[in-house]
Amino acid sequence: MDWADFGVDLHLELDATGGRRAGLERALRAAIRDGRLPPSTRLPATRALAAELGVARGTVSAAYDQLVAEGWLVARVGAGTEVSPQRPAAPPGPAPAPATAPPRYDLRPGSPDVGTFPVAAWLRSTRRALATAPAAAYGYGDPRGRPELRAALAGYLGRARGVLADPERIVVTAGYVQALVLLTTVLRDAGRAVLAMEDPGLPFHREVVRRQGGRVVPLPVDDRGARAELLGAGELADVAAAVVTPAHQYPSGVTLHPARRHALTGWARDAGALVVEDDYDGEFRYDRQPVGAVQGTAPEQVAYVGTAAKTLGPALRLAWLVLPARLVEPVVEAKRHLDVQTEVVGQLALADLIDSHGYDRQVRTVRRHYRQRRDLLLDRLGGRLAGGISAGLHAVVPLPPDGPSEAEVLARAAARGLALDGLDGHRHHPGGRPPGLVVGYATPPSYAYPAALATLAEVLGTAAAPA
């Protein structure tokens, strides 16, 4: 058929997969969508198009009727069928985002070496879990998470972190951020959404709280950790919760002093407030036994948050809340209305990995791995490192106050293809002192780590020890 008679030049290719009618519908939709059939274009009569395509007239009529029902075409009595005038031609695609080359070396904190993910062990656990899981596991379930994982976590957290964890008080979440969202939501709904957050601390977590309607108040940190004695007075008088990293403060690396621990839980008890314990890297202590969780001393005042992001990998999106009794139902309801439940297959696999002691083996393996990296960092930078280097996956490198500014050092590093974070960006109010760098020594793949440290040493003007 000569479509020029209808104001267009068009050739239809029919893919008969699923039937001729379905193929004609797809061909006409595509022609309208990409603009080959512009708005208000009159289409051939059904008899004429059927003869041209060698199909039954009823096939064309049914295809037209379907596209009229979907809004692609408009049928008018006595005027035939035409493309809907409200159906514009496909708009031009979005302009491509400017390409940003990844850094050659990445020493930013916050990520593990994903090359340490235990693929073989995870596959074994997944197979075992799927082979034994009840059919009900693949339906909607308890927003708290699978009972297998909550029971496994209760045992693991009790022996490894000193957490008093009843499986009924554990809620499995899609990562730490979701746990923080849930707690902020519950506090906001109770009209108590003022949260103290460590200064310095991770700015992204502050923004998470604000986006959930919370107000953030800085809780100063010194060489003994968060200054818990300030809670309940001054700017911190109306705080409903304090979010802290007691085992290894982020980013300073200090461990919360015992007196501060007692002050923190005492304030929460007296004020009816909440301590949110972010145990983001509690398993990684290298020079002595890990420091136990604060939650073990005050389970009714502390909401404990742990995660598999550093021990296994952030892509799993698996974390867990251990809650005071009064918060279980409100958090479960918030979780139910947020995403119903966390993905189940990963929960089942993690439960098996814990129960088979594969998780303990993984923790020991990556702890040795990161200790070796920490030791190499010490060899490279020596006395340039601040405290807190006995644990975790990052270190703070102070900068001399009379030397280049933090921004200048970061720019110098970027010019050499090295990505770093500055200490100033972690402060609630940038521009404070002293300046410094936050170096994540877990992120680079193993083959790139020595070269990344050599580049860091060059940026800092430090003589590098041989690898």
Side-chain angles (χ1 to χ4, degrees), residues 415-436:
R416 289 169 169 79
L418 175 63
L420 296 167
D421 271 2
L423 189 57
D424 201 43
H426 290 76
R427 295 188 172 95
H428 286 240
H429 304 291
R433 289 287 177 178

Side-chain angles (χ1 to χ4, degrees), residues 133-171:
Y138 305 109
Y140 293 112
D142 192 331
R144 289 174 298 179
R146 287 298 304 173
E148 299 92 336
L149 179 56
R150 290 187 283 119
L153 285 170
Y156 171 77
L157 294 172
R159 60 184 166 77
R161 302 297 301 126
V163 172
L164 297 177
D166 184 329
E168 299 303 308
R169 295 193 188 187
I170 295 176
V171 175

